[in-house]
Amino acid sequence: MSAPSSKRLICEAILLAIVIAPCTGGDVFSVQREQMVRLIEDRGVRSPDTLRVMRATLRHLFLPPDLQSRAYEDRPLPIGYDANISQPYIVALMTELLEPAKPHRVLEIGTGSGYQAAVLAQLAGRIYTIEIVPALARSARQTLRLLGYSNVAVRQGDGYRGWPEEAPFDRVILTASPPEIPQTLIDQLARGGRLVAPVGRLGSQELVLIEEKADGTLHRRSVVPVAFVPMKPELR
Ligand code: SAH
């Protein structure tokens, strides 16, 4: 069988764009975004809700203009202030592990660009997200507002304290890695809740899932090795 001609490949790409564009919002990145979602699915994320939301969230709009063309590569990208927008596969995996649902109140530590918060905002009731770097908190708040994610509250502050006024939370997600999960955050998790966090120092971090049963007992399981930016130490 002969290799397909380049003309045929271009025609196929255009056809794919025409077929997929109306389903994905039709922006210039819709084909790349669809490819990203297929890769995430190939890597084992199966939750239809998670895949739907990864398809619907415009990751390029959470990045500075010079990085937007790389938004749908499956890798973390720098957003300044030693922070990264997380790798799409890891965002999807953490979202799936969290099992968010419409009535849930979710606490996120490490707002960064706001992308993970935007993904969760489409699956849960309300997202409370804390970012320690003031400039990142400000820009994420603005991006989320411009894109219409009205159920996300961004607070600039130290994630080690959690958000006691709004606790308990049905779901807690950390997107910066502490050496061990802060007890304050476990205390702010509701009975029956789930917490997902990268834990440990760079080079030996793992993604941990904690489930708090109805009787208050905690079940902990390690899922995969990961490499998140370290959580900045508690301010005293
Ligand atoms: N969820 C983000 C990825 C964030 S990277 C996204 O989707 O883009 C981790 C973020 O955690 C960084 O922005 C970093 O500034 C923030 N961070 C680090 N230590 C923190 C702390 N103690 N409290 C709150 N945020 C913290």
Side-chain angles (χ1 to χ4, degrees):
M1 205 172 78
S2 63
S5 70
S6 57
K7 206 166 159 190
R8 193 179 130 199
L9 284 177
I10 293 168
C11 285
E12 280 180 4
I14 292 171
L15 246 171
L16 194 69
I18 293 169
V19 173
I20 291 169
C23 322
T24 54
D27 62 283
V28 290
F29 294 111
S30 46
V31 172
Q32 288 179 40
R33 193 163 51 251
E34 182 60 28
Q35 285 165 349
M36 175 194 86
V37 175
R38 288 189 186 169
L39 193 97
I40 290 170
E41 203 174 358
D42 285 349
R43 292 192 68 179
V45 173
R46 291 291 141 79
S47 151
D49 280 345
T50 299
L51 295 171
R52 171 175 58 79
V53 167
M54 294 304 290
R55 216 168 244 129
T57 313
L58 306 181
R59 189 172 186 253
H60 62 282
L61 299 182
F62 293 83
L63 283 165
D66 58 319
L67 283 177
Q68 290 193 352
S69 63
R70 300 182 54 196
Y72 299 99
E73 294 173 14
D74 189 28
R75 57 176 71 210
L77 292 166
I79 52 169
Y81 309 93
D82 296 328
N84 284 335
I85 185 170
S86 306
Q87 181 187 351
Y89 164 65
I90 295 291
V91 170
L93 178 64
M94 290 173 88
T95 303
E96 182 173 65
L97 286 168
L98 215 52
E99 296 182 1
K102 279 294 172 204
H104 289 160
R105 293 149 47 79
V106 181
L107 174 66
E108 180 192 32
I109 307 301
T111 315
S113 66
Y115 176 66
Q116 173 79 72
V119 166
L120 291 171
Q122 296 162 76
L123 296 167
R126 194 154 177 80
I127 317 297
Y128 299 85
T129 179
I130 305 178
E131 170 55 53
I132 203 160
V133 175
L136 288 176
R138 265 198 306 277
S139 72
R141 191 180 290 124
Q142 193 185 13
T143 307
L144 290 160
R145 196 179 44 228
L146 277 173
L147 295 178
Y149 294 104
S150 54
N151 58 340
V152 182
V154 181
R155 168 184 273 189
Q156 189 271 314
D158 179 9
Y160 270 94
R161 296 182 189 172
W163 199 316
E165 306 88 326
E166 295 292 346
F169 298 96
D170 305 291
R171 301 291 186 255
V172 175
I173 178 170
L174 280 70
T175 65
S177 178
E180 205 20 88
I181 298 175
Q183 186 58 42
T184 327
L185 299 182
I186 294 178
D187 292 344
Q188 292 184 18
L189 184 64
R191 295 267 164 110
R194 293 166 85 86
L195 178 151
V196 174
V199 180
R201 309 216 174 263
L202 210 57
S204 63
Q205 270 178 32
E206 49 188 21
L207 194 62
V208 168
L209 168 68
I210 289 188
E211 291 175 78
E212 180 164 341
K213 301 290 171 196
D215 64 2
T217 54
L218 299 176
H219 289 232
R220 177 181 173 132
R221 135 169 113 84
S222 295
V223 185
V224 282
V226 283
F228 276 78
V229 300
M231 193 163 162
K232 294 197 169 76
E234 191 169 5
L235 304 171
R236 292 186 191 275

